[in-house]
Amino acid sequence: MADVKHFDPDAALDAAMRLFWQRGTASTGVQDVVDATGLNRSSLYATFGSKQELYRATLERYVRSRSRLLLGPLEEDGGGLPAVREFFDRLIETRCTGEFARWGCMVSNAHAGGENGDPEVGAVLDRQHRQLCAALRTALGSAQRQGQLAAGTDPESAADVLALLAHGVNIRSRAGADARQLRATVTAAIGAVAPGA
Amino acid sequence: MADVKHFDPDAALDAAMRLFWQRGTASTGVQDVVDATGLNRSSLYATFGSKQELYRATLERYVRSRSRLLLGPLEEDGGGLPAVREFFDRLIETRCTGEFARWGCMVSNAHAGGENGDPEVGAVLDRQHRQLCAALRTALGSAQRQGQLAAGTDPESAADVLALLAHGVNIRSRAGADARQLRATVTAAIGAVAPGA
DNA sequence: CCCTTCTTGAACCGATGGTTCCAAGATATC
DNA sequence: GATATCTTGGAACCATCGGTTCAAGAAGGG
């Protein structure tokens, strides 16, 4: 009865995501998206509605794919302190090397870029930050139950501190901060807020 | 012989600074600057050259005025641990209340906004981060000499951790993070990385 | 009052912003 | 193969972008 899409919307969304991630909303023109995705303006608007809706879609794709990739292991049962250390190792690795080096985190970038002027975007940012805190809390809680933490350590406030620290890593990585330096700092931080037993 | 400027360049620079600080470079048009400063395009270009040069000028004004306001007390001799606590108190106060609430830090914003594509801007960002680390190191060093720190505390790595944490505070404040929550988290962090004697 | 120097407002430039529209092309059902 | 329905390509839309230019006006020194 009808025609079907001649392109892969998921691939297009991914290409657009990378654009917004790297350069932000304001610095990315619709023409840039057209060029990067290869599809036409009409198809783009027919599929995603508007630039703002497209941005929201890419942001949600980011938190569901890229963020999940990092947070997933953290939320698994019984990860404990090693899971926390591995989370930051992988975070710094991702932020400083490979194809995403110097791109930072799309969520942190959205924070600073003021994209939260859009209430829907703001809600995503808050939710994502709470999820990061919760994931760290889960891992630190399991660390405590496994007796990995020194007595008197509070997993909740430690998780909040490390979550803020993660934002700091994301920000500094955009300026090309040295991975070794970041790793050393983060290691010191973990050792201080979540000291081993 | 000639005519003299009919406006105050410093006031104009300050108005432009607020614009770039709040909304970023890409989202701020020259017309916005014209409207905010009250002076016209010609005077603006005659005085500052280009939009990019104007941005650089406002960024430097920011680090020389606003940042200095926060970092100054930290660098003074003998501030010790109380100076560190006061720095974060004032940071959070500035970021969450008053006319600059939800504006974040212009330097952190520039990081995430990718403004460091301009090498001169990137240099300012790196310099400013190093200065923040150095200021914290100074205060923590004096704390150690005054016997305020527990044995085994390393002022240098503690300073690096707190500097990253400051970026985190700046970022989260843009999303309207609760000041009390931030204060509690920061207090926990200071207590962990720079425990009192 | 003249003349020089600066400021000012407005118009102008090409490029680009996001968005819409319509004819042409493609496809699955009948 | 005809037809209905969707996608596609491309152009056009109108506003604004950053940046430049120019003529008129204002202000000081002679």
Side-chain angles (χ1 to χ4, degrees):
Chain A
M1 258 248 220
D3 197 356
V4 81
K5 280 203 193 309
H6 295 184
F7 64 92
D8 179 7
D10 242 36
L13 201 58
D14 200 76
M17 179 193 76
R18 287 162 193 247
L19 242 53
F20 286 131
W21 179 3
Q22 190 182 12
R23 309 212 286 246
T25 317
S27 305
T28 302
V30 174
Q31 187 58 45
D32 296 327
V33 180
V34 168
D35 294 342
T37 58
L39 45 81
N40 190 278
R41 284 173 108 83
S42 306
S43 310
L44 209 132
Y45 273 90
T47 308
F48 301 108
S50 71
K51 185 191 176 185
Q52 188 63 18
E53 289 176 274
L54 174 59
Y55 174 74
R56 280 199 288 257
T58 61
L59 183 62
E60 266 159 30
R61 179 182 175 84
Y62 178 88
V63 303
R64 266 201 301 268
S65 60
R66 296 284 154 196
S67 287
R68 184 63 52 102
L69 221 64
L70 285 167
L71 288 186
L74 212 48
E75 292 164 333
E76 280 173 17
D77 269 352
L81 212 45
V84 174
R85 281 195 271 259
E86 200 175 331
F87 164 75
F88 276 100
D89 272 351
R90 291 216 270 179
L91 178 71
I92 294 171
E93 180 80 13
T94 306
R95 299 288 177 248
C96 297
T97 65
E99 69 171 316
F100 305 123
R102 287 168 167 269
W103 287 24
C105 161
M106 193 173 172
V107 176
S108 295
N109 295 353
H111 270 93
E115 321 277 20
N116 48 346
D118 180 341
E120 287 199 42
V121 172
V124 173
L125 301 192
D126 277 338
R127 171 164 55 83
Q128 197 57 19
H129 180 72
R130 278 196 303 269
Q131 201 161 61
L132 171 59
C133 289
L136 285 166
R137 215 167 287 171
T138 300
L140 289 175
S142 99
Q144 194 177 47
R145 281 190 302 276
Q146 294 178 46
Q148 295 171 345
L149 293 185
T153 305
D154 177 17
E156 297 210 0
S157 64
D160 290 348
V161 170
L162 292 181
L164 273 191
L165 202 77
H167 280 295
V169 169
N170 290 332
I171 288 301
R172 278 300 301 163
S173 72
R174 282 223 96 184
D178 181 47
R180 267 184 301 272
Q181 158 96 42
L182 286 177
R183 252 188 289 266
T185 304
V186 164
T187 300
I190 296 177
V193 301
Chain B
M1 259 226 245
D3 200 354
V4 81
K5 277 203 196 310
H6 294 180
F7 62 93
D8 178 7
D10 241 36
L13 201 57
D14 200 76
M17 178 194 76
R18 287 160 193 248
L19 240 53
F20 286 131
W21 179 4
Q22 190 182 11
R23 309 212 288 248
T25 316
S27 305
T28 302
V30 175
Q31 188 58 46
D32 297 327
V33 180
V34 168
D35 294 343
T37 57
L39 46 83
N40 64 7
R41 290 172 101 80
S42 304
S43 310
L44 207 125
Y45 275 92
T47 310
F48 301 107
S50 71
K51 185 190 176 184
Q52 187 63 19
E53 289 175 274
L54 174 59
Y55 174 75
R56 281 200 289 257
T58 61
L59 183 62
E60 267 159 32
R61 178 181 176 84
Y62 178 89
V63 304
R64 266 202 299 268
S65 61
R66 296 285 154 194
S67 288
R68 182 65 50 106
L69 221 63
L70 285 167
L71 288 186
L74 210 50
E75 292 164 334
E76 281 173 16
D77 268 354
L81 211 45
V84 174
R85 281 196 271 261
E86 200 176 331
F87 165 75
F88 276 100
D89 273 350
R90 292 215 270 178
L91 178 72
I92 295 171
E93 180 78 13
T94 306
R95 298 290 176 247
C96 296
T97 65
E99 69 171 315
F100 305 122
R102 287 170 167 267
W103 287 23
C105 160
M106 194 174 173
V107 176
S108 295
N109 296 353
H111 270 94
E115 320 278 21
N116 48 346
D118 180 341
E120 287 198 43
V121 172
V124 172
L125 301 192
D126 277 339
R127 171 165 55 84
Q128 197 57 18
H129 180 71
R130 278 196 303 270
Q131 201 161 60
L132 171 58
C133 289
L136 285 166
R137 213 166 289 170
T138 300
L140 289 176
S142 98
Q144 194 177 46
R145 279 191 302 276
Q146 295 177 44
Q148 295 170 346
L149 294 185
T153 304
D154 177 17
E156 296 210 1
S157 63
D160 290 348
V161 170
L162 292 182
L164 274 190
L165 203 76
H167 280 295
V169 169
N170 290 332
I171 288 300
R172 278 300 301 165
S173 72
R174 281 222 98 184
D178 180 48
R180 267 184 301 272
Q181 159 94 44
L182 286 178
R183 253 188 287 266
T185 304
V186 163
T187 301
I190 296 177
V193 302

